[in-house]
Structure formats: structure tokens, C-alpha cells
Amino acid sequence: QKEVEQDPGPLSVPEGAIVSLNCTYSNSAFQYFMWYRQYSRKGPELLMYTYSSGNKEDGRFTAQVDKSSKYISLFIRDSQPSDSATYLCAMSAMGTGNQFYFGTGTSLTVIP
Amino acid sequence: EAGVVQSPRYKIIEKKQPVAFWCNPISGHNTLYWYRQNLGQGPELLIRYENEEAVDDSQLPKDRFSAERLKGVDSTLKIQPAELGDSAVYLCASSLVLNTEAFFGQGTRLTVV
């Protein structure tokens, strides 16, 4: 079983839709959770960083962490064509020696 | 503030040839990572540095890969000799300290023919 599971999509939505992207994980020690956006032929760009459980909002983006279910989500409101990219979740446990584990990424296309 | 800088952006080499990638992390970031990303996959860690010390290189294929981070700033990742299966994007990332948010460079796309 992989440390992090992410539905690869592809996901296609009309402009203005609410998008929900999700990851599940198996390691209950994970405490740090990140979402990255990656455009084609570019490096991953950090969108959201959260510690432990709860919600975090930044503009049109909301990150949710449910540690009891080992489930994290990224919501995009009022989606725009410029949101079309691959979204990667990443997570790690606390302490030294702990690397970030990435999902495989979800490909999103927002249709004008 | 400049982000993580990597060079070259693209590299095409023949198999069995050597290749090197260079990374300049964000100023003041103590932790530096090298990741490899295959098409349609998430990044996978190759090696992590805390300052100039390699503290996690368990996934680095040491028979052909080597890395160094001189003076705890810039880093170089080398492959010698390259194999066809090494074709991938090599990403460098840095963070202020371990487990804080990591910032990535644009990556080096390696094609081995």
C-alpha cells in the first residue's frame, strides 16, 4: 500500500464550478500537509500548508485535514481556466528523518 | 526574493554518459531536497540535506548517483553513467527547516537516448 493515495483524474469542470480534490493516507503520524499546483513543464508551486487537523482558507482555496479519517481535501471555489494544472498533495510526519510523501497528482481542466 | 534556481532546464544525453544538475536554494534555507519525478507521478525523494550533511539518501541509487552540497548552500546532483530509465524531471526544493513548507525549482528535464 502506498503512503499517499490520490485519484489521478483527469477532472474536467466548467468555469465557475467548485472543485474538490482529495488524498487519503495510511500513516497516522503525518502532521504536515501541503497542496502543490504544477503547470505543465514547471516545478510544483506551493498553494497551501497546514499543520495537524482543521481548515485553512486562502482566497478561493480551502484546505481541510481530517486526521481521524486520514483524509485531506483541497477546495477551489469559482474555478478559473488558469486553475487548469496538476494538483499534488504532500505530507510528512514530525521530527527528523521524515520526508515528504507525495500523491501522484490530479489533473484538472477548467473549461471556459 | 529569488526562488529555488536550477540549471540546466533541459538536458539530452546518450546512455552511459555523465550528467550533472545544479541547484541554488532560497537564501537562508537549511534543508535542501533532490526529487525525481516520472511522467504522471508525484516527486520521489532522492536525497535530503540539512546544511551540508546528507541526512536521508536511502533512495539514492548510489552505484551511479552522487550529490554534494558544498558550504551548505548550492548543491549538485550527478549521474554517471546515465541509463535510459533515468529519463525524468529532477527537482530541487528547499525549506527553512525540516518539515516546514518546501519550495521547488523549475526542474531539469533529463532525456537519455
Side-chain angles (χ1 to χ4, degrees), chain A residues 40-43, chain B residues 6-13 19-21 88-90 106-111:
Chain A
S40 180
R41 297 184 176 273
K42 299 288 187 182
Chain B
Q6 289 188 248
S7 68
R9 287 293 313 279
Y10 304 92
K11 191 74 176 178
I12 301 174
I13 61 171
V19 64
F21 314 125
V89 176
Y90 290 82
Q106 297 280 46
T108 296
R109 183 175 297 273
L110 173 68
T111 303

Side-chain angles (χ1 to χ4, degrees), chain A residues 3-111:
Chain A
E3 295 273 2
V4 180
E5 299 281 355
Q6 184 175 8
D7 186 340
L11 187 60
S12 184
V13 301
E15 183 175 354
I18 296 175
V19 176
S20 173
L21 305 167
N22 311 296
C23 289
T24 59
Y25 61 95
S26 56
N27 188 343
S28 59
F30 285 154
Q31 295 268 25
Y32 303 90
F33 304 92
M34 284 159 287
W35 285 96
Y36 287 87
R37 177 175 62 197
Q38 187 171 27
Y39 292 114
S40 180
R41 297 184 176 273
K42 299 288 187 182
E45 172 193 6
L46 181 66
L47 281 177
M48 302 286 280
Y49 171 81
T50 54
Y51 169 70
S52 195
S53 285
N55 295 356
K56 185 174 183 178
E57 187 174 320
D58 184 1
R60 297 185 295 110
F61 298 90
T62 299
Q64 287 187 350
V65 175
D66 181 349
K67 293 189 68 181
S68 62
S69 302
K70 300 190 182 69
Y71 188 88
I72 69 170
S73 300
L74 178 70
F75 297 96
I76 307 174
R77 292 185 300 279
D78 187 25
S79 57
Q80 302 295 309
S82 59
D83 295 328
S84 298
T86 296
Y87 289 81
L88 295 155
C89 63
M91 50 198 78
S92 73
M94 183 181 293
T96 60
N98 291 303
Q99 60 166 295
F100 294 116
Y101 293 90
F102 282 83
T104 54
T106 299
S107 175
L108 171 68
T109 300
V110 180
I111 302 168

Side-chain angles (χ1 to χ4, degrees), chain B residues 37-56:
Chain B
Q37 186 176 24
N38 291 308
L39 190 63
Q41 300 294 317
E44 294 181 331
L45 181 70
L46 292 173
I47 189 168
R48 173 169 63 87
Y49 282 91
E50 294 296 330
N51 298 301
E52 61 270 16
E53 182 182 359
V55 295
D56 184 355

